[in-house]
Amino acid sequence: ACQSWISKVGIALGTGASGWILQFTGFDAKLEGAQAPDAIFMIRILLSTIPVIGLVLALFSLLRFELTEARMAEIRGKLEATRGKV
């Protein structure tokens, strides 16, 4: 579930940021196939570093999520007490 959530958030942020990245780098849609080398370089840099930063932030947030085996057993015990064993 966590992997799916991270993937969906990443796709949403990447899609939302792609237009901003193109505008920020100076991409010109009217230049058919002949973009400035600086624009191409910055597009490559931003499209590779932004997902890495997002992944690091997601992994850091997972590390901060304190869920041990003892805590999971406690939660399971409370759930089974509420609804019965499965």
Side-chain angles (χ1 to χ4, degrees):
C2 187
Q3 177 188 5
S4 176
W5 181 81
I6 289 173
S7 177
K8 289 176 184 179
V9 169
I11 290 170
L13 292 177
T15 303
S18 62
W20 175 80
I21 288 171
L22 290 176
Q23 184 178 7
F24 177 75
T25 58
F27 180 83
D28 187 2
K30 294 177 184 174
L31 299 175
E32 296 176 13
Q35 297 296 321
D38 292 339
I40 298 296
F41 178 75
M42 286 303 294
I43 290 170
R44 287 181 179 165
I45 292 294
L46 290 175
L47 288 179
S48 62
T49 56
I50 290 174
V52 171
I53 291 169
L55 179 61
V56 168
L57 290 174
L59 291 175
F60 180 72
S61 66
L62 283 176
L63 289 174
R64 306 257 318 151
F65 191 70
E66 299 174 5
L67 192 60
T68 62
E69 284 190 48
R71 178 72 178 130
M72 288 188 292
E74 177 186 339
I75 293 169
R76 183 179 186 99
K78 289 179 181 178
L79 288 173
E80 287 178 351
T82 301
R83 63 172 164 76
K85 290 189 178 189
V86 176

